[in-house]
């Protein structure tokens, strides 16, 4: 069975999601799993629109295009920034459409992990065992999330970042590219961990830390 999906966001993340869909469809021998109806975006840039056009998929207009869609049409949030993704999630919730869970065939999610709708996992992302993942979490290329972690809603784990076991990463957190979070640490709601940082202590909510050790 093929399910329709609309990608929200014409930026890099939205177009990367299109790549995940293609990879998922290429991995099955019968009917495609997903059909991308197109992209919606309330604030598209000229370059984003040009790049979407190159993918040979229509730009459908602003997100209100989603109003009145069949309730079987799914959405995929292609918004990289966690807080902006939360806003977008809230803005489109009135349309009542389910969110697609899109896991690249080259990503690995442990069988006993529990995730809410909207998980996006790019190629090489790895989540091991007993990890609880909130809604619209983005796991970027080659990141790892170790055992027994809890990731809140709208978290982004950027490429090559490593979240060790027993960590708690609260809603709206961004873990920057190649950052490491040592085992058992908590990163508070809406905090940002800079690229390359090593988190050795808990991080307070709504703060930005960077460096080694992260401060
Ligand atoms: C930490 C971060 C959030 C800070 O952003 P910012 O507040 O806009 O920071 P600025 O670029 O203004 O830089 C401020 C200072 O911090 C330094 N800095 C920036 N990022 C840093 C990092 N990751 N580690 C160490 N120092 C950093 C800058 O060199 C600058 O130092 P200076 O004042 O001595 O010149 C950001 O740089 C970062 O690392 N973001 C993660 C990016 C990422 O993961 N991208 C992947 C997307 S898929």
């Amino acid at each position: 069975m093929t399910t329709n999906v609309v990608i929200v966001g014409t930026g890099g993340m939205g177009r990367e999601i299109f790549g995940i869909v293609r990879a998922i469809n290429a991995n099955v021998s019968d009917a495609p799993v997903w059909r991308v109806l197109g992209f919606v975006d309330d604030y598209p840039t000229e370059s984003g629109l040009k790049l979407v056009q190159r993918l040979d998929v229509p730009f459908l207009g602003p997100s209100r295009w989603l109003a009145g869609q069949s309730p079987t049409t799914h959405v995929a949030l292609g918004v990289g920034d966690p807080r902006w993704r939360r806003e977008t999630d809230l803005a489109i919730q009135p349309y009542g459409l389910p969110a697609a869970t899109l896991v690249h065939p080259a990503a690995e999610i442990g069988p006993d992990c529990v995730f809410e709708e909207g998980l996006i996992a790019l190629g090489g992302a790895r989540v091991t065992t007993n990890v609880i993942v909130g809604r619209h979490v983005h796991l970027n290329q080659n990141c790892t999330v170790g055992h027994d972690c809890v990731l809140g809603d709208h978290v982004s784990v950027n490429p090559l970042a490593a979240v060790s076991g027993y960590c708690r990463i609260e809603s709206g957190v961004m873990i920057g590219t190649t950052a490491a979070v040592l085992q058992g640490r908590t990163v508070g709601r809406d905090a940002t961990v800079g690229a390359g940082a090593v988190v050795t202590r808990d991080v307070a909510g709504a703060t930005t830390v960077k460096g080694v050790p992260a401060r």
Side-chain angles (χ1 to χ4, degrees):
M1 197 184 88
T2 304
T3 304
N4 290 336
V5 61
V6 175
I7 299 173
V8 181
T10 54
M13 193 69 210
R15 287 176 281 107
E16 286 187 340
I17 288 175
F18 181 72
I20 301 177
V21 171
R22 281 183 56 164
I24 292 171
N25 287 342
N27 212 34
V28 292
S29 50
D30 42 7
V33 183
W34 298 101
R35 178 190 301 114
V36 177
L37 296 181
F39 287 75
V40 297
D41 197 325
D42 289 340
Y43 307 100
T45 63
E46 211 172 300
S47 69
L49 290 176
K50 269 192 194 143
L51 292 166
V52 161
Q53 203 175 20
R54 262 178 41 187
L55 298 174
D56 214 12
V57 188
F59 174 63
L60 303 167
S63 58
R64 65 174 179 274
W65 185 92
L66 298 168
Q69 281 303 301
S70 149
T72 57
T73 297
H74 285 55
V75 290
L77 293 196
V79 178
D81 178 80
R83 272 77 87 188
W84 187 234
R85 189 157 70 250
R86 178 192 289 144
E87 294 298 312
T88 308
D89 184 16
L90 285 172
I92 66 168
Q93 271 179 24
Y95 303 124
L97 301 177
T101 291
L102 299 172
V103 176
H104 192 287
E108 280 178 38
I109 309 286
D112 60 345
C113 295
V114 179
F115 45 88
E116 291 185 35
E117 63 174 15
L119 170 66
I120 304 291
L122 281 94
R126 288 182 162 182
V127 178
T128 61
T129 178
N130 186 35
V131 175
I132 298 173
V133 176
R135 55 186 286 117
H136 293 293
V137 164
H138 284 186
L139 303 174
N140 285 285
Q141 302 96 309
N142 299 314
C143 73
T144 59
V145 178
H147 59 87
D148 308 301
C149 285
V150 178
L151 271 54
D153 296 343
H154 311 109
V155 163
S156 284
V157 185
N158 285 350
L160 287 162
V163 178
S164 309
Y166 297 119
C167 285
R168 181 180 172 83
I169 311 296
E170 295 183 353
S171 165
V173 165
M174 184 184 78
I175 309 289
T177 298
T178 74
V181 183
L182 299 194
Q183 66 279 2
R185 304 311 192 264
T186 293
V187 182
R189 183 183 167 94
D190 290 348
T192 298
V193 174
V198 176
V199 172
T200 59
R201 296 183 186 164
D202 291 353
V203 174
T207 57
T208 296
V209 295
K210 57 193 178 191
V212 181
R215 295 192 202 287

